[in-house]
Amino acid sequence: MFEEALLVTSSTDGSMLMVHAGAGAGAGAGSALCPAYKHCNTLSNGITTMTGSSSYSGRGSTDYIVAAQAGKPLLHLYTPSSPSPALQIHTQEAVTALTGGMQGGTGRYLYSGSRTGRVGVWNCLSGALVALVPAHFRAVTCLAADPTGIFLFR
């Protein structure tokens, strides 16, 4: 679903909207696929998408939008079709950056950065915090993982 949609966030009111990104003016191009997502006050690098199986849904394979609540130790997991969070995850500290990645093809991981310079590694299949690494002496404001999940860039 994500390859055909555009996720738009606002830095002024904290809203998030998913719109159809199809070419041209036909069949719903530019129209909202879901009402504005609720409780989504996120930073510019505090949002990512995840695809794959998860024990959270109880339904097998599911797509998720993960958004860090600005200034709060809280992550929201949304399904693309619902404006309310499907799950809220409380973290040890406020998250300032998010990205997702594969690790050896065995599972999906979520990487989070914080104001204190720590990087968290979350297993999205179980929801467990796998590691919390002191990665920098300042705030982590941007994270990116290569497609293989072997390298994480901050």
Side-chain angles (χ1 to χ4, degrees):
M1 178 175 189
F2 293 120
E3 57 270 1
E4 297 177 8
L6 179 65
L7 193 57
V8 181
T9 62
S10 169
S11 62
T12 57
D13 66 4
S15 65
M16 181 172 66
L17 183 68
M18 185 180 292
V19 294
H20 187 274
S31 61
L33 296 175
C34 180
Y37 292 93
K38 297 177 182 177
H39 313 294
C40 185
N41 183 14
T42 188
L43 301 170
S44 61
N45 291 328
I47 192 163
T48 192
T49 57
M50 304 294 289
T51 303
S53 298
S54 173
S55 59
Y56 300 136
S57 68
R59 296 176 296 230
S61 181
T62 305
D63 293 336
Y64 289 100
I65 300 164
V66 185
Q69 186 78 22
K72 295 184 180 179
L74 187 62
L75 298 175
H76 294 285
L77 273 71
Y78 298 90
T79 58
S81 60
S82 176
S84 296
L87 181 69
Q88 293 183 346
I89 299 173
H90 295 272
T91 60
Q92 293 181 344
E93 56 189 317
V95 173
T96 55
L98 281 176
T99 193
M102 296 295 287
Q103 178 67 33
T106 59
R108 193 79 172 157
Y109 287 82
L110 177 70
Y111 304 98
S112 64
S114 72
R115 288 186 182 133
T116 61
R118 296 193 292 182
V119 172
V121 181
W122 302 81
N123 181 325
C124 288
L125 299 178
S126 67
L129 178 64
V130 176
L132 194 57
V133 181
H136 204 276
F137 63 95
R138 289 191 180 176
V140 176
T141 58
C142 186
L143 288 170
D146 77 325
T148 65
I150 295 173
F151 299 105
L152 178 66
F153 305 96
R154 55 177 165 77

